Amino acid sequence: MRLAFVLGEIGSGLRRNVSMVVSVILVTFVSLTFVGAAGMLQLQINQMKGYWYDKVQVAIFLCSDGSTAAGCATGPVTAEQQANLRTLLESPAVHQYVNDFAFESQDDAYRHFKEQFSNSPIVESVTPDQLPASFRINLKDPEKYQIISETFSSQAGVESVIDQRQLLERLFSVMNAASLVAVSVAGVMIVCAILLIATTIRLSAFSRRRETGIMRLVGASKAVIQLPFILEGVIAAVIGAALASGTLWAAAHFFLGEYLAKQYPDTAFISPAQTLLLAPALIGLGVLLAGTSSLLTLRRYLRV
């Protein structure tokens, strides 16, 4: 009987405040979508780090015409200097950190440059002699880059030593900034959701003040009187969280999986299943926000 009464009161409250309940669902949906988007960005960053950090190379760029580095004081790299660098790479002191390495000539660098910028007019203004030759090194442990840098930076014929992870870190920094923006927007929307839930519960309590007064007179417990109001907000928030979770899954499936994965086949994107890991957190956050907001509102506006 008590359960039937509570369910009946919930249904009555939802019917009386349909427009406000729909507003709560939409605001919760938007706010939790931004929260989930921030979570997706972090998952994507971690996925890309795990994928690319094992593939990035350390590039030892050799001196060419016009190089101004200290190691290029004698001009372009000579065959003897190039041989010395190869010998050093194969030496036991360095080879223990190196998985493998390959030499890229200026012609090879120019060919790769044309492939990479095939749609850019800059290709017409670049010649092979403007691009430096290099040794491309795959490290056993990418964290040991500093050892390679210190070993080769001062060698004759070396213009610079570049860790490709530095380029990736810039990308990840931008993605982290986007994640922070999403969290900031989500924070504003969550505040709006809390205020809207509180207003909805307040109006619902006001519209049923006569019923709650009668319930108090007949000795109904505080929990029985307050529970329908709390569950109204929770139900609306759970629906909004479920919609947010579905939206994130659709974005991962159709945008990342169907579109970007085909455009960038060499990039590791998160799967739709991974986004579902965020669903329990979003639903839990929605329940927490709605439950806390409803309870605080009832304590102030519904005297039991």
Side-chain angles (χ1 to χ4, degrees):
M1 290 294 292
R2 184 172 295 178
L3 177 60
F5 170 76
V6 170
L7 294 177
E9 288 294 301
I10 293 173
S12 175
L14 294 176
R15 286 193 300 271
R16 290 182 183 182
N17 302 287
V18 172
S19 60
M20 294 297 290
V21 170
V22 172
S23 299
V24 171
I25 291 174
L26 292 178
V27 174
T28 306
F29 159 64
V30 173
S31 60
L32 293 183
T33 297
F34 276 103
V35 173
M40 280 184 64
L41 278 172
Q42 290 303 314
L43 288 175
Q44 183 61 49
I45 290 171
N46 292 334
Q47 179 97 345
M48 292 179 69
K49 283 183 176 180
Y51 180 80
W52 284 110
Y53 276 4
D54 290 336
K55 298 179 180 294
V56 295
Q57 297 175 322
V58 173
I60 302 176
F61 290 106
L62 307 183
C63 299
S64 59
D65 292 328
S67 297
T68 58
C72 303
T74 57
V77 63
T78 63
E80 182 182 358
Q81 291 171 339
Q82 184 176 314
N84 291 338
L85 293 172
R86 183 182 293 273
T87 301
L88 184 57
L89 279 169
E90 294 173 346
S91 66
V94 175
H95 188 69
Q96 60 180 318
Y97 303 109
V98 175
N99 190 32
D100 58 68
F101 69 91
F103 177 72
E104 182 181 80
S105 66
Q106 289 182 300
D107 290 334
D108 292 335
Y110 181 66
R111 185 174 66 255
H112 294 157
F113 178 82
K114 288 197 300 182
E115 292 174 355
Q116 185 174 1
F117 296 94
S118 58
N119 297 322
S120 175
I122 194 176
V123 173
E124 303 299 329
S125 60
V126 176
T127 58
D129 60 290
Q130 293 176 299
L131 300 176
S134 63
F135 285 100
R136 303 286 176 157
I137 306 171
N138 293 311
L139 298 180
K140 294 179 180 178
D141 182 1
E143 299 295 332
K144 302 297 185 182
Y145 154 75
Q146 198 61 37
I147 297 176
I148 301 298
S149 178
E150 292 174 355
T151 302
F152 287 90
S153 294
S154 58
Q155 296 293 320
V158 174
E159 179 179 10
S160 61
V161 181
I162 302 296
D163 182 10
Q164 291 179 342
R165 288 194 310 160
Q166 297 172 352
L167 304 178
L168 292 177
E169 289 296 345
R170 296 176 186 174
L171 171 62
F172 297 146
S173 296
V174 173
M175 295 179 70
N176 280 322
S179 179
L180 289 176
V181 171
V183 169
S184 300
V185 175
V188 174
M189 295 302 299
I190 285 174
V191 172
C192 294
I194 291 173
L195 295 176
L196 190 55
I197 292 170
T199 302
T200 302
I201 298 303
R202 181 182 177 184
L203 291 175
S204 182
F206 181 79
S207 66
R208 284 184 277 173
R209 61 190 183 282
R210 183 173 299 176
E211 290 92 330
T212 55
I214 295 173
M215 291 171 64
R216 286 197 296 267
L217 291 176
V218 299
S221 67
K222 183 177 181 179
V224 171
I225 296 175
Q226 291 185 346
L227 188 59
F229 297 101
I230 295 174
L231 291 180
E232 287 174 24
V234 169
I235 289 172
V238 167
I239 294 174
L243 290 175
S245 300
T247 300
L248 295 176
W249 181 91
H253 179 74
F254 294 106
F255 182 64
L256 296 182
E258 296 293 332
Y259 178 71
L260 287 184
K262 294 179 180 178
Q263 297 293 322
Y264 305 97
D266 294 332
T267 301
F269 292 103
I270 58 175
S271 66
Q274 287 177 281
T275 62
L276 294 179
L277 298 176
L278 299 172
L282 296 180
I283 293 174
L285 180 58
V287 170
L288 178 63
L289 293 175
T292 303
S293 178
S294 301
L295 186 59
L296 294 177
T297 303
L298 290 172
R299 285 185 176 181
R300 182 174 182 181
Y301 294 105
L302 184 62
R303 305 296 181 185
V304 180

